[in-house]
PDB file of all heavy atoms in Angstrom:
ATOM      1  N   VAL A  42     -30.468  -5.994 145.814  1.00 95.00           N
ATOM      2  CA  VAL A  42     -29.970  -4.828 145.096  1.00 95.00           C
ATOM      3  C   VAL A  42     -30.216  -4.996 143.598  1.00 95.00           C
ATOM      4  O   VAL A  42     -29.891  -6.045 143.031  1.00 95.00           O
ATOM      5  CB  VAL A  42     -28.459  -4.611 145.371  1.00 95.00           C
ATOM      6  CG1 VAL A  42     -27.916  -3.500 144.478  1.00 95.00           C
ATOM      7  CG2 VAL A  42     -28.240  -4.284 146.820  1.00 95.00           C
ATOM      8  N   SER A  43     -30.767  -3.977 142.989  1.00 95.00           N
ATOM      9  CA  SER A  43     -30.966  -3.947 141.526  1.00 95.00           C
ATOM     10  C   SER A  43     -30.209  -2.768 140.948  1.00 95.00           C
ATOM     11  O   SER A  43     -30.124  -1.710 141.588  1.00 95.00           O
ATOM     12  CB  SER A  43     -32.456  -3.820 141.190  1.00 95.00           C
ATOM     13  OG  SER A  43     -33.191  -4.880 141.759  1.00 95.00           O
ATOM     14  N   TRP A  44     -29.714  -2.941 139.739  1.00 97.00           N
ATOM     15  CA  TRP A  44     -29.006  -1.859 139.049  1.00 97.00           C
ATOM     16  C   TRP A  44     -29.767  -1.458 137.792  1.00 97.00           C
ATOM     17  O   TRP A  44     -30.292  -2.310 137.072  1.00 97.00           O
ATOM     18  CB  TRP A  44     -27.596  -2.325 138.664  1.00 97.00           C
ATOM     19  CG  TRP A  44     -26.631  -2.432 139.820  1.00 97.00           C
ATOM     20  CD1 TRP A  44     -26.383  -3.538 140.577  1.00 97.00           C
ATOM     21  CD2 TRP A  44     -25.787  -1.400 140.324  1.00 97.00           C
ATOM     22  NE1 TRP A  44     -25.432  -3.246 141.531  1.00 97.00           N
ATOM     23  CE2 TRP A  44     -25.037  -1.944 141.393  1.00 97.00           C
ATOM     24  CE3 TRP A  44     -25.565  -0.051 139.976  1.00 97.00           C
ATOM     25  CZ2 TRP A  44     -24.109  -1.202 142.120  1.00 97.00           C
ATOM     26  CZ3 TRP A  44     -24.633   0.674 140.696  1.00 97.00           C
ATOM     27  CH2 TRP A  44     -23.925   0.104 141.752  1.00 97.00           C
ATOM     28  N   TYR A  45     -29.787  -0.161 137.554  1.00 97.00           N
ATOM     29  CA  TYR A  45     -30.475   0.378 136.383  1.00 97.00           C
ATOM     30  C   TYR A  45     -29.556   1.377 135.686  1.00 97.00           C
ATOM     31  O   TYR A  45     -28.737   2.048 136.327  1.00 97.00           O
ATOM     32  CB  TYR A  45     -31.764   1.111 136.774  1.00 97.00           C
ATOM     33  CG  TYR A  45     -32.847   0.197 137.302  1.00 97.00           C
ATOM     34  CD1 TYR A  45     -32.852  -0.216 138.623  1.00 97.00           C
ATOM     35  CD2 TYR A  45     -33.897  -0.225 136.480  1.00 97.00           C
ATOM     36  CE1 TYR A  45     -33.848  -1.043 139.123  1.00 97.00           C
ATOM     37  CE2 TYR A  45     -34.909  -1.036 136.971  1.00 97.00           C
ATOM     38  CZ  TYR A  45     -34.872  -1.438 138.285  1.00 97.00           C
ATOM     39  OH  TYR A  45     -35.871  -2.252 138.755  1.00 97.00           O
ATOM     40  N   GLN A  46     -29.746   1.523 134.368  1.00 98.00           N
ATOM     41  CA  GLN A  46     -29.048   2.536 133.584  1.00 98.00           C
ATOM     42  C   GLN A  46     -30.101   3.520 133.084  1.00 98.00           C
ATOM     43  O   GLN A  46     -31.126   3.124 132.529  1.00 98.00           O
ATOM     44  CB  GLN A  46     -28.343   1.904 132.389  1.00 98.00           C
ATOM     45  CG  GLN A  46     -27.612   2.875 131.497  1.00 98.00           C
ATOM     46  CD  GLN A  46     -27.247   2.276 130.135  1.00 98.00           C
ATOM     47  OE1 GLN A  46     -28.117   1.975 129.325  1.00 98.00           O
ATOM     48  NE2 GLN A  46     -25.952   2.100 129.890  1.00 98.00           N
ATOM     49  N   GLN A  47     -29.849   4.814 133.276  1.00 97.00           N
ATOM     50  CA  GLN A  47     -30.785   5.820 132.787  1.00 97.00           C
ATOM     51  C   GLN A  47     -30.073   6.789 131.864  1.00 97.00           C
ATOM     52  O   GLN A  47     -29.241   7.591 132.302  1.00 97.00           O
ATOM     53  CB  GLN A  47     -31.438   6.599 133.944  1.00 97.00           C
ATOM     54  CG  GLN A  47     -32.543   7.535 133.484  1.00 97.00           C
ATOM     55  CD  GLN A  47     -33.269   8.246 134.611  1.00 97.00           C
ATOM     56  OE1 GLN A  47     -32.742   8.404 135.704  1.00 97.00           O
ATOM     57  NE2 GLN A  47     -34.501   8.669 134.357  1.00 97.00           N
ATOM     58  N   ALA A  48     -30.405   6.716 130.594  1.00 96.00           N
ATOM     59  CA  ALA A  48     -29.872   7.670 129.611  1.00 96.00           C
ATOM     60  C   ALA A  48     -30.694   8.954 129.694  1.00 96.00           C
ATOM     61  O   ALA A  48     -31.825   8.965 130.179  1.00 96.00           O
ATOM     62  CB  ALA A  48     -29.943   7.077 128.208  1.00 96.00           C
ATOM     63  N   LEU A  49     -30.123  10.027 129.207  1.00 93.00           N
ATOM     64  CA  LEU A  49     -30.776  11.333 129.289  1.00 93.00           C
ATOM     65  C   LEU A  49     -32.132  11.298 128.582  1.00 93.00           C
ATOM     66  O   LEU A  49     -32.249  10.840 127.444  1.00 93.00           O
ATOM     67  CB  LEU A  49     -29.868  12.367 128.620  1.00 93.00           C
ATOM     68  CG  LEU A  49     -30.078  13.822 129.051  1.00 93.00           C
ATOM     69  CD1 LEU A  49     -29.840  13.978 130.543  1.00 93.00           C
ATOM     70  CD2 LEU A  49     -29.160  14.745 128.259  1.00 93.00           C
ATOM     71  N   GLY A  50     -33.166  11.745 129.289  1.00 91.00           N
ATOM     72  CA  GLY A  50     -34.492  11.819 128.695  1.00 91.00           C
ATOM     73  C   GLY A  50     -35.248  10.498 128.624  1.00 91.00           C
ATOM     74  O   GLY A  50     -36.325  10.432 128.047  1.00 91.00           O
TER      75      GLY A  50
END
Side-chain angles (χ1 to χ4, degrees):
Chain A
V42 172
S43 302
W44 287 92
Y45 292 82
Q46 180 196 67
Q47 187 176 23
L49 203 60

